[in-house]
Amino acid sequence: MRWILMGASTIAAEHMIGAIRSQPGASVHRILSSSPGRAAEFAATHGIPHHGSDLAAALADPEAGAVYISTTNEQHRAQALAAIAAGKHVLCEKPLAMTAGEAAEMVLAARARGVTFATNHHLRCAGSHRAIRALIAGGRIGKVLSLRIFHAVQLPAHLQGWRINDAAAGGGVIADITVHNADTARFLLQDEPVSVVAKMTASGLGEGVEDSAMSIWTMSSGAMVFSHESFTHPFAGSGLELHGTAGSVFARGVMSQSPLGEIELVTAAGREAIPFTRDDLYATGLAAFLAATRGEGAPAASGEDGVRSLSIALAVRKAARSGTCCPVTFPEL
Ligand code: NDP
């Protein structure tokens, strides 16, 4: 499978080019950037044979079968719709779009065209998250009562651009990290939130967008979820705690792009370290995506998953803005 990268981005450079190249028969074929100069430089740095800034010309290339979109968030929708119309399979970064309705439009277009469309929610590809989900499914913690997600990090200096300064490009910690927490809660609990309350703040790191948020969600099961995300916490570390009637899970360092962290299960029998696989998260996601394009199974996170995680994040932002409890609703798909 030959891939077109849309977006000369950090995530492509740091994780996705390697993840694509780790898959048998997959190669990075072309880089598309809004700047011809940046496209040429990115292609030279990463050994990519083709580069340019013409979307239509890139998509007209019959050798390319798949597109990975990692531009700023407001560009995802138009690029995905163009790629789908050209018959390419599409792996799109989160958040899929600026609104849930736009994201749903992308999913429906892919369905109508018969191509694979997926969301790059990497955390559900982590061995740690899969091990926790297996603990729940295996009844080890009993009935789930609550989930607390700690995802307050320090945004690295090289990423302190549109994310903290540009609402029109989809900046803000809610669009950036709450979507991941939403996907994590959905993946672990196999359930959806029905309502949320929230607070957010802008500490002055950037301009015009929130850089920290805390929210509490009620799931349809009645379980409660607490989600904390930030760009301004250098020493907080990440993780999650899951509490049930028969046990509690303490997972440290697992809200990460790398296969890191540790998991401890506490039950009446005592404390138990839970082992998990340490495969590359993005390569795991790529393998599932490529299998799905061959008709073998489903992507790790579907387009529908991306629509739902975005819907939840937008409900959190609405609740924080309004100071009210907001229902979580999902577009018809
Ligand atoms: P970057 O800020 O690194 O890149 C985004 C865009 O900014 C690029 O497509 C590029 O535009 C432009 N850009 C890059 N470098 C420069 C520069 N020197 N001067 C001017 N413009 C530049 O974004 P990220 O990689 O951090 O994020 C991209 C997307 O990926 C977002 O949607 C984000 O939410 C998502 N993401 C997902 C992660 C995950 O784990 N799933 C992790 C990190 C990000 P152009 O292409 O036109 O050259």
Side-chain angles (χ1 to χ4, degrees):
M1 178 72 82
R2 293 189 173 97
W3 286 78
I4 298 171
L5 306 185
M6 292 192 180
S9 68
T10 307
I11 178 74
E14 292 184 352
H15 293 280
M16 293 304 291
I17 290 174
I20 291 170
R21 288 177 173 159
S22 74
Q23 301 305 306
S27 64
V28 181
H29 183 66
R30 180 183 294 272
I31 174 70
L32 186 82
S33 163
S34 59
S35 150
R38 200 158 52 241
E41 192 184 332
F42 196 91
T45 302
H46 298 286
I48 301 170
H50 305 282
H51 60 84
S53 57
D54 184 335
L55 175 72
L59 290 173
D61 182 345
E63 292 197 325
V67 171
Y68 166 62
I69 299 175
S70 64
T71 47
T72 49
N73 302 339
E74 88 288 9
Q75 300 180 69
H76 295 176
R77 173 184 166 274
Q79 290 174 334
L81 291 177
I84 290 165
K88 314 294 186 193
H89 301 292
V90 175
L91 176 59
C92 186
E93 271 306 340
K94 42 53 63 174
L96 285 184
M98 300 293 279
T99 70
E102 289 178 355
E105 185 187 356
M106 295 152 75
V107 170
L108 293 173
R111 208 181 279 168
R113 190 66 172 80
V115 296
T116 300
F117 179 73
T119 314
N120 204 27
H121 276 308
H122 62 295
L123 288 166
R124 58 167 67 205
C125 298
S128 55
H129 288 237
R130 293 179 173 192
I132 295 167
R133 189 159 103 141
L135 288 174
I136 301 170
R140 299 291 307 279
I141 69 164
K143 178 177 162 53
V144 174
L145 302 171
S146 60
L147 168 65
R148 306 188 330 162
I149 302 176
F150 311 100
H151 207 159
V153 299
Q154 179 69 34
L155 190 65
H158 69 285
L159 295 183
Q160 291 184 16
W162 61 272
R163 263 188 188 76
I164 56 168
N165 289 316
D166 194 348
V173 78
I174 291 175
D176 202 49
I177 302 185
T178 311
V179 285
H180 278 314
N181 294 355
D183 188 64
T184 296
R186 296 182 62 254
F187 177 70
L188 295 181
L189 305 184
Q190 296 292 287
D191 194 12
E192 307 286 353
V194 291
S195 64
V196 300
V197 293
K199 290 275 187 184
M200 61 184 180
T201 190
S203 69
L205 179 68
E207 270 178 40
V209 299
E210 78 287 343
D211 56 34
S212 291
M214 288 186 179
S215 54
I216 297 171
W217 317 344
T218 300
M219 306 299 285
S220 75
S221 68
M224 298 181 74
V225 173
F226 167 77
S227 174
H228 179 201
E229 45 278 337
S230 178
F231 288 150
T232 64
H233 287 47
F235 307 112
S238 79
L240 60 86
E241 292 180 4
L242 189 70
H243 303 289
T245 50
S248 284
V249 171
F250 297 87
R252 296 174 201 88
V254 299
M255 304 304 288
S256 170
Q257 293 181 285
S258 301
L260 302 173
E262 57 213 297
I263 305 172
E264 189 177 46
L265 172 67
V266 182
T267 66
R271 296 178 176 274
E272 184 184 339
I274 303 297
F276 57 88
T277 56
R278 306 246 174 199
D279 298 329
D280 182 275
L281 283 63
Y282 297 97
T284 300
L286 241 300
F289 181 89
L290 287 169
T293 66
R294 298 190 299 267
E296 300 162 12
S302 64
E304 289 83 348
D305 289 316
V307 171
R308 287 179 169 254
S309 64
L310 175 59
S311 300
I312 296 164
L314 294 175
V316 166
R317 185 177 273 154
K318 189 173 173 192
R321 277 194 182 135
S322 65
T324 61
C325 179
C326 288
V328 180
T329 56
F330 302 108
E332 285 290 325
L333 282 173

